[in-house]
Amino acid sequence: MRYNSFQKKKLSNPTYRTKIISSFASFFLLIAIGLCAYLPAGLDGKLGSDGDKTFTISRALANANKPSFISTLLIAYFFLIYLLIIRGPSSFLLRRFIFLTVAFSFVVSLLWITPSSNKNLHYGLASIIFTFILFYNVTTFYLFYNSKKNDRNLIMFLIIFNILVYITLIVFAILRGNTLDPDIFASAEIFFAILFVANVLFTGFY
């Protein structure tokens, strides 16, 4: 019975368990970013708008508490993988697993590959992270688009909205360092991260 359930070809209906799992995954993602990255960086005076200081996720990761950040991020990762398994479908499980694994692995690498240590590599890895998160979000919404016949307009809007935010983020990244206020880029970066957390909750509750 369990094997057949795992082999389901369509999204399963949300349950109390999926809601709890997605809530835990989202909670630990927020803890990792907020309490384990931004809080230590802020307390150390590494964030701000003066000089080269910014509020970007990159700046927070460069000054994060690495053990606690890695621990909480891994917990969120395993909760999210478990959520994908129980909601399905099995036909898309591998690619979504790859998207998440690549993105999460590169996020951890940014703890050490900072703009000050290797600027080009850092921004290259950050671009890959944003791209794979976009792939994951769009793939997830595509699955809901095929399953929720009555809510296709809403889901199509979410797909387009995620793509537009991604494009905006890339444009801000290209313009960054010129006349653009770096805090605008930081805001776009944080908003994109929030979209990912919202996607996690969407997967568990919708």
Side-chain angles (χ1 to χ4, degrees):
M1 180 65 70
R2 290 182 179 178
Y3 178 81
N4 291 336
S5 176
F6 175 77
Q7 294 297 318
K8 56 183 175 293
K9 299 300 180 181
K10 295 182 179 180
L11 281 167
S12 63
N13 293 324
T15 63
Y16 179 77
R17 181 169 59 167
T18 65
K19 294 175 183 178
I20 291 296
I21 293 170
S22 67
S23 297
F24 274 121
S26 301
F27 173 76
F28 281 104
L29 282 172
L30 294 174
I31 290 295
I33 296 173
L35 295 185
C36 302
Y38 270 95
L39 181 60
L43 292 177
D44 290 341
K46 303 297 184 180
L47 301 177
S49 301
D50 299 329
D52 65 345
K53 292 182 180 180
T54 68
F55 290 97
T56 61
I57 294 177
S58 296
R59 170 73 67 166
L61 290 178
N63 299 279
N65 182 292
K66 294 179 177 60
S68 62
F69 178 84
I70 294 173
S71 299
T72 50
L73 189 69
L74 280 176
I75 294 173
Y77 170 80
F78 287 119
F79 271 121
L80 185 50
I81 294 300
Y82 182 48
L83 177 64
L84 299 188
I85 291 175
I86 61 177
R87 284 224 67 178
S90 60
S91 57
F92 278 80
L93 179 62
L94 179 59
R95 71 189 70 180
R96 295 166 81 197
F97 170 80
I98 293 173
F99 294 155
L100 286 176
T101 302
V102 171
F104 276 56
S105 298
F106 284 168
V107 166
V108 172
S109 74
L110 295 187
L111 294 171
W112 292 274
I113 304 175
T114 65
S116 59
S117 65
N118 193 324
K119 186 175 182 180
N120 291 333
L121 180 57
H122 175 88
Y123 289 132
L125 292 177
S127 298
I128 294 174
I129 293 169
F130 294 138
T131 301
F132 273 77
I133 291 297
L134 175 70
F135 289 164
Y136 173 81
N137 285 352
V138 170
T139 300
T140 299
F141 287 128
Y142 169 77
L143 294 174
F144 281 99
Y145 181 84
N146 285 338
S147 300
K148 306 288 186 177
K149 305 299 183 181
N150 296 327
D151 298 324
R152 285 191 164 182
N153 289 335
L154 169 64
I155 297 172
M156 180 56 67
F157 167 78
L158 293 173
I159 292 174
I160 295 173
F161 185 67
N162 272 261
I163 294 174
L164 290 177
V165 173
Y166 171 82
I167 293 173
T168 302
L169 182 60
I170 296 301
V171 170
F172 282 168
I174 294 173
L175 295 177
R176 191 180 177 208
N178 297 317
T179 59
L180 181 70
D181 185 343
D183 291 337
I184 298 178
F185 172 80
S187 299
E189 196 178 40
I190 294 170
F191 187 68
F192 194 72
I194 292 173
L195 282 179
F196 174 67
V197 175
N199 184 291
V200 174
L201 291 171
F202 191 90
T203 303
F205 283 79
Y206 190 67

